[in-house]
Protein backbone atom coordinates (compact mmCIF):
# COMPACT_ATOMS: atom_id res chain seq x y z
CA UNK A 1 0.00 0.00 0.00
CA UNK A 2 1.44 3.42 -0.95
CA UNK A 3 1.34 5.74 2.06
CA UNK A 4 2.40 9.39 1.99
CA UNK A 5 3.91 9.38 5.48
CA UNK A 6 7.40 8.88 6.92
CA UNK A 7 8.00 5.17 7.56
CA UNK A 8 10.10 3.90 10.48
CA UNK A 9 9.87 1.04 12.97
CA UNK A 10 7.07 1.68 15.48
CA UNK A 11 5.42 4.48 13.49
CA UNK A 12 1.64 4.61 13.78
CA UNK A 13 -0.14 5.30 10.50
CA UNK A 14 -3.67 6.66 10.62
CA UNK A 15 -5.30 5.54 7.33
CA UNK A 16 -7.86 7.66 5.52
CA UNK A 17 -11.31 6.45 4.55
CA UNK A 18 -10.33 5.23 1.08
CA UNK A 19 -7.43 3.14 2.32
CA UNK A 20 -9.58 1.83 5.22
CA UNK A 21 -12.39 0.78 2.87
CA UNK A 22 -9.89 -0.82 0.48
CA UNK A 23 -8.25 -2.94 3.21
CA UNK A 24 -11.46 -3.80 5.09
CA UNK A 25 -14.08 -4.13 2.33
CA UNK A 26 -11.99 -5.14 -0.69
CA UNK A 27 -9.13 -7.13 0.88
CA UNK A 28 -11.21 -8.22 3.91
CA UNK A 29 -8.29 -7.52 6.24
CA UNK A 30 -8.74 -7.47 10.03
CA UNK A 31 -6.78 -6.72 13.21
CA UNK A 32 -3.22 -8.14 13.29
CA UNK A 33 -3.22 -8.84 9.54
CA UNK A 34 0.07 -7.78 7.94
CA UNK A 35 0.74 -5.84 4.73
CA UNK A 36 3.67 -4.05 3.10
CA UNK A 37 3.59 -0.24 2.96
CA UNK A 38 5.92 2.02 0.96
CA UNK A 39 6.22 5.75 0.37
CA UNK A 40 8.70 5.87 -2.54
CA UNK A 41 11.45 7.27 -0.29
CA UNK A 42 11.99 5.13 2.85
CA UNK A 43 11.83 1.73 1.16
CA UNK A 44 9.14 -0.82 2.01
CA UNK A 45 8.02 -1.80 5.51
CA UNK A 46 6.00 -4.59 7.02
CA UNK A 47 3.02 -3.17 8.95
CA UNK A 48 0.15 -4.66 10.93
CA UNK A 49 -3.43 -3.53 11.41
CA UNK A 50 -3.47 -2.18 14.98
CA UNK A 51 -6.90 -3.26 16.16
CA UNK A 52 -10.33 -4.27 15.05
CA UNK A 53 -12.17 -1.98 12.69
CA UNK A 54 -15.00 -0.19 14.48
CA UNK A 55 -17.86 0.69 12.11
CA UNK A 56 -17.22 4.09 10.58
CA UNK A 57 -13.74 4.42 12.11
CA UNK A 58 -10.55 4.52 10.06
CA UNK A 59 -7.78 1.96 10.48
CA UNK A 60 -4.46 2.40 12.20
CA UNK A 61 -1.32 0.54 11.09
CA UNK A 62 1.76 -0.14 13.21
CA UNK A 63 4.96 -0.13 11.14
CA UNK A 64 7.23 -3.00 12.15
CA UNK A 65 10.27 -4.08 10.15
CA UNK A 66 11.91 -2.95 6.93
CA UNK A 67 11.05 -5.15 3.96
CA UNK A 68 14.03 -5.78 1.67
CA UNK A 69 13.19 -4.81 -1.89
CA UNK A 70 15.65 -5.13 -4.77
CA UNK A 71 15.94 -1.83 -6.64
CA UNK A 72 16.06 -2.12 -10.42
CA UNK A 73 19.06 -0.40 -12.04
CA UNK A 74 17.33 -0.25 -15.42
CA UNK A 75 17.12 3.33 -16.77
CA UNK A 76 14.27 4.10 -19.21
CA UNK A 77 14.21 7.26 -21.34
CA UNK A 78 11.27 8.27 -23.49
CA UNK A 79 10.26 11.22 -25.63
CA UNK A 80 7.03 12.53 -24.11
CA UNK A 81 3.76 11.72 -25.84
CA UNK A 82 0.27 13.22 -25.62
CA UNK A 83 -1.06 12.90 -22.04
CA UNK A 84 -3.20 9.74 -22.15
CA UNK A 85 -0.51 7.69 -23.83
CA UNK A 86 2.12 9.15 -21.56
CA UNK A 87 0.29 7.90 -18.47
CA UNK A 88 0.16 4.47 -20.12
CA UNK A 89 3.86 4.57 -21.04
CA UNK A 90 5.14 5.36 -17.52
CA UNK A 91 2.82 2.75 -16.01
CA UNK A 92 4.15 0.08 -18.40
CA UNK A 93 7.76 1.13 -17.80
CA UNK A 94 7.14 0.65 -14.07
CA UNK A 95 5.48 -2.73 -14.58
CA UNK A 96 8.30 -3.83 -16.89
CA UNK A 97 10.97 -3.12 -14.30
CA UNK A 98 12.39 0.34 -14.95
CA UNK A 99 14.16 1.66 -11.84
CA UNK A 100 14.61 5.20 -13.19
CA UNK A 101 12.37 6.92 -15.73
CA UNK A 102 13.36 10.11 -17.54
CA UNK A 103 11.59 12.24 -20.17
CA UNK A 104 14.00 13.04 -23.03
CA UNK A 105 13.09 16.06 -25.17
CA UNK A 106 13.83 15.50 -28.86
CA UNK A 107 13.26 17.63 -31.96
CA UNK A 108 9.90 16.04 -32.79
CA UNK A 109 8.63 15.80 -29.19
CA UNK A 110 5.10 17.23 -29.26
CA UNK A 111 4.38 17.78 -25.57
CA UNK A 112 5.41 21.21 -24.24
CA UNK A 113 4.91 21.00 -20.46
CA UNK A 114 5.07 17.72 -18.52
CA UNK A 115 2.92 17.27 -15.40
CA UNK A 116 5.51 15.47 -13.23
CA UNK A 117 3.14 14.97 -10.29
CA UNK A 118 0.54 13.31 -12.52
CA UNK A 119 3.21 11.12 -14.11
CA UNK A 120 4.48 10.13 -10.66
CA UNK A 121 0.93 9.29 -9.53
CA UNK A 122 0.74 6.88 -12.48
CA UNK A 123 4.08 5.35 -11.47
CA UNK A 124 2.82 4.84 -7.90
CA UNK A 125 -0.43 3.29 -9.14
CA UNK A 126 1.50 0.86 -11.35
CA UNK A 127 3.96 0.09 -8.52
CA UNK A 128 1.09 -0.78 -6.18
CA UNK A 129 -0.62 -2.90 -8.83
CA UNK A 130 2.46 -4.97 -9.72
CA UNK A 131 3.92 -4.94 -6.19
CA UNK A 132 7.05 -3.05 -7.17
CA UNK A 133 8.05 -1.81 -3.74
CA UNK A 134 11.11 0.19 -4.71
CA UNK A 135 9.26 2.82 -6.70
CA UNK A 136 11.04 3.99 -9.86
CA UNK A 137 12.45 7.51 -9.71
CA UNK A 138 11.07 10.07 -12.15
CA UNK A 139 13.95 12.32 -13.22
CA UNK A 140 13.76 15.86 -14.56
CA UNK A 141 13.26 16.07 -18.32
CA UNK A 142 16.48 16.48 -20.31
CA UNK A 143 17.24 17.46 -23.90
CA UNK A 144 18.65 14.59 -25.96
CA UNK A 145 21.88 16.46 -26.72
CA UNK A 146 22.45 17.07 -22.99
CA UNK A 147 21.63 13.45 -22.14
CA UNK A 148 24.28 12.29 -24.60
CA UNK A 149 26.83 14.92 -23.59
CA UNK A 150 26.57 14.01 -19.89
CA UNK A 151 25.86 10.29 -20.29
CA UNK A 152 29.24 8.89 -19.31
CA UNK A 153 29.59 11.38 -16.43
CA UNK A 154 26.10 10.62 -15.12
CA UNK A 155 25.83 6.94 -16.01
CA UNK A 156 29.39 5.55 -15.98
CA UNK A 157 29.60 2.22 -17.81
CA UNK A 158 25.86 2.02 -18.50
CA UNK A 159 25.11 1.10 -22.13
CA UNK A 160 22.31 3.02 -23.83
CA UNK A 161 20.07 0.73 -25.89
CA UNK A 162 18.40 2.84 -28.57
CA UNK A 163 15.19 1.50 -30.10
CA UNK A 164 15.71 2.37 -33.76
CA UNK A 165 13.28 1.35 -36.47
CA UNK A 166 16.06 1.66 -39.02
CA UNK A 167 18.31 -0.82 -37.19
CA UNK A 168 18.64 -4.17 -39.03
CA UNK A 169 15.84 -6.41 -37.74
CA UNK A 170 17.61 -9.69 -37.15
CA UNK A 171 17.19 -11.82 -34.05
CA UNK A 172 18.77 -12.56 -31.71
CA UNK A 173 20.30 -9.18 -31.19
CA UNK A 174 23.74 -10.52 -30.32
CA UNK A 175 24.97 -7.19 -28.97
CA UNK A 176 22.37 -7.49 -26.19
CA UNK A 177 23.66 -10.91 -25.26
CA UNK A 178 27.01 -9.35 -24.28
CA UNK A 179 25.37 -6.99 -21.76
CA UNK A 180 24.73 -9.50 -18.99
CA UNK A 181 25.59 -7.93 -15.63
CA UNK A 182 26.17 -4.44 -17.09
CA UNK A 183 23.90 -1.50 -16.19
CA UNK A 184 21.72 -0.57 -19.17
CA UNK A 185 19.37 2.16 -20.27
CA UNK A 186 16.69 2.05 -22.94
CA UNK A 187 15.66 5.03 -25.10
CA UNK A 188 12.51 5.21 -27.22
CA UNK A 189 11.67 8.11 -29.55
CA UNK A 190 8.57 10.25 -30.08
CA UNK A 191 5.68 9.60 -32.46
CA UNK A 192 7.57 11.59 -35.08
CA UNK A 193 10.69 9.54 -34.53
CA UNK A 194 14.22 10.81 -34.05
CA UNK A 195 15.57 13.30 -36.60
CA UNK A 196 18.41 12.19 -38.88
CA UNK A 197 20.82 14.36 -36.87
CA UNK A 198 19.63 12.81 -33.61
CA UNK A 199 20.03 9.31 -35.01
CA UNK A 200 23.53 10.16 -36.23
CA UNK A 201 24.41 11.63 -32.82
CA UNK A 202 23.20 8.49 -31.04
CA UNK A 203 24.89 6.05 -33.43
CA UNK A 204 28.20 7.92 -33.07
CA UNK A 205 28.39 7.16 -29.33
CA UNK A 206 30.50 4.16 -28.20
CA UNK A 207 28.02 3.45 -25.37
CA UNK A 208 24.94 3.33 -27.66
CA UNK A 209 23.54 0.04 -28.97
CA UNK A 210 20.79 0.36 -31.62
CA UNK A 211 18.19 -2.40 -31.57
CA UNK A 212 15.36 -3.26 -33.90
CA UNK A 213 11.95 -4.23 -32.54
CA UNK A 214 11.03 -5.96 -35.78
CA UNK A 215 10.20 -4.94 -39.35
CA UNK A 216 7.09 -2.90 -38.51
CA UNK A 217 6.85 0.71 -37.28
CA UNK A 218 5.50 0.53 -33.72
CA UNK A 219 3.70 3.33 -31.92
CA UNK A 220 6.02 4.86 -29.34
CA UNK A 221 4.14 3.39 -26.38
CA UNK A 222 4.11 -0.05 -28.03
CA UNK A 223 7.84 0.31 -28.70
CA UNK A 224 8.43 1.17 -25.05
CA UNK A 225 6.87 -2.08 -23.83
CA UNK A 226 8.48 -4.11 -26.63
CA UNK A 227 11.94 -2.66 -25.96
CA UNK A 228 11.68 -3.30 -22.21
CA UNK A 229 10.51 -6.88 -22.84
CA UNK A 230 13.25 -7.62 -25.41
CA UNK A 231 16.00 -6.15 -23.22
CA UNK A 232 14.76 -7.62 -19.94
CA UNK A 233 14.44 -11.09 -21.45
CA UNK A 234 17.81 -10.98 -23.20
CA UNK A 235 20.28 -9.49 -20.73
CA UNK A 236 20.21 -12.20 -18.11
CA UNK A 237 18.04 -12.00 -14.98
CA UNK A 238 15.14 -9.57 -15.10
CA UNK A 239 15.98 -6.28 -13.37
N1 LIG B 1 10.10 7.24 -37.46
C1 LIG B 1 8.84 6.49 -37.39
C2 LIG B 1 8.09 6.69 -38.72
O1 LIG B 1 8.72 7.14 -39.65
O2 LIG B 1 6.90 6.44 -38.74
C3 LIG B 1 7.99 6.94 -36.25
C4 LIG B 1 8.64 6.68 -34.90
S1 LIG B 1 7.89 5.44 -33.96
C5 LIG B 1 6.21 5.89 -33.99
C6 LIG B 1 8.31 5.95 -32.33
C7 LIG B 1 9.56 5.31 -31.76
O3 LIG B 1 9.31 3.93 -31.50
C8 LIG B 1 10.79 5.33 -32.62
O4 LIG B 1 11.49 6.55 -32.47
C9 LIG B 1 11.59 4.16 -32.09
O5 LIG B 1 12.30 4.55 -30.91
C10 LIG B 1 10.50 3.17 -31.71
N2 LIG B 1 10.21 2.18 -32.74
C11 LIG B 1 9.10 2.07 -33.48
N3 LIG B 1 9.16 0.98 -34.29
C12 LIG B 1 10.36 0.38 -34.05
C13 LIG B 1 11.03 -0.77 -34.56
N4 LIG B 1 10.47 -1.56 -35.49
N5 LIG B 1 12.26 -1.07 -34.09
C14 LIG B 1 12.85 -0.27 -33.16
N6 LIG B 1 12.28 0.83 -32.62
C15 LIG B 1 11.04 1.16 -33.07
Amino acid sequence: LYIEAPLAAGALLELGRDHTNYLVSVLRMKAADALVVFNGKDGAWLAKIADDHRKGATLELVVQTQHQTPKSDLWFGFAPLKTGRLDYLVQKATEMGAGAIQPVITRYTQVSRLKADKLYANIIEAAEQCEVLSVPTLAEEIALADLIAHWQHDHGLRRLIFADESAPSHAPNTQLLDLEGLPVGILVGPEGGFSDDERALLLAQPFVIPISLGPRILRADTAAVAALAVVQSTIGDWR
Side-chain angles (χ1 to χ4, degrees):
L1 192 67
Y2 180 73
I3 301 267
E4 284 192 302
L7 296 177
L12 275 179
L13 303 174
E14 183 66 49
L15 296 188
R17 189 145 313 287
D18 293 349
H19 273 151
T20 297
N21 291 340
Y22 175 63
L23 295 186
V24 172
S25 316
V26 175
L27 300 185
R28 301 242 174 271
M29 295 187 84
K30 54 192 182 315
D33 280 354
L35 67 157
V36 177
V37 292
F38 65 103
N39 63 7
K41 290 184 288 297
D42 305 327
W45 291 75
L46 203 63
K48 280 202 178 200
I49 294 180
D51 55 23
D52 252 332
H53 174 240
R54 294 176 311 287
K55 198 118 188 70
T58 53
L59 280 185
E60 200 170 56
L61 300 183
V62 183
V63 177
Q64 300 193 309
T65 51
Q66 187 126 36
H67 189 73
Q68 289 318 318
T69 50
K71 177 133 184 76
S72 162
D73 69 352
L74 182 58
W75 179 90
F76 177 73
F78 64 96
L81 306 170
K82 290 212 175 71
T83 311
R85 307 231 337 265
L86 196 47
D87 295 346
Y88 171 91
L89 187 143
V90 296
Q91 287 197 15
K92 300 314 147 194
T94 302
E95 291 171 54
M96 292 301 290
I101 299 175
Q102 184 160 26
V104 178
I105 309 304
T106 67
R107 178 148 161 230
Y108 300 135
T109 296
Q110 297 152 341
V111 172
S112 50
R113 213 175 56 77
L114 283 171
K115 298 188 183 79
D117 49 351
K118 186 163 181 298
L119 282 182
Y120 195 64
N122 276 287
I123 290 172
I124 292 295
E125 187 186 326
E128 276 192 312
Q129 177 268 323
C130 62
E131 296 184 9
V132 162
L133 300 174
S134 53
V135 182
T137 54
L138 176 63
E140 286 279 308
E141 63 187 57
I142 187 170
L144 178 64
D146 294 339
L147 176 79
I148 297 301
H150 303 128
W151 182 266
Q152 288 176 306
H153 173 269
D154 295 347
H155 291 271
L157 292 175
R158 188 187 300 277
R159 296 292 186 275
L160 178 55
I161 298 166
F162 155 47
D164 180 11
E165 65 276 18
S166 56
S169 63
H170 56 74
N173 199 312
T174 47
Q175 293 188 83
L176 289 183
L177 299 173
D178 303 338
L179 294 180
E180 180 144 7
L182 274 174
V184 296
I186 299 173
L187 177 65
V188 173
E191 281 313 348
F194 289 103
S195 71
D196 291 343
D197 295 351
E198 288 170 337
R199 176 174 285 109
L201 173 69
L202 281 159
L203 295 177
Q205 309 307 318
F207 53 79
V208 168
I209 299 174
I211 62 163
S212 166
L213 297 171
R216 288 163 290 278
I217 298 282
L218 309 177
R219 288 173 66 135
D221 42 354
T222 311
V225 180
L228 281 154
V230 163
V231 170
Q232 282 276 37
S233 54
T234 314
I235 56 168
D237 292 341
W238 277 59
R239 313 285 164 103

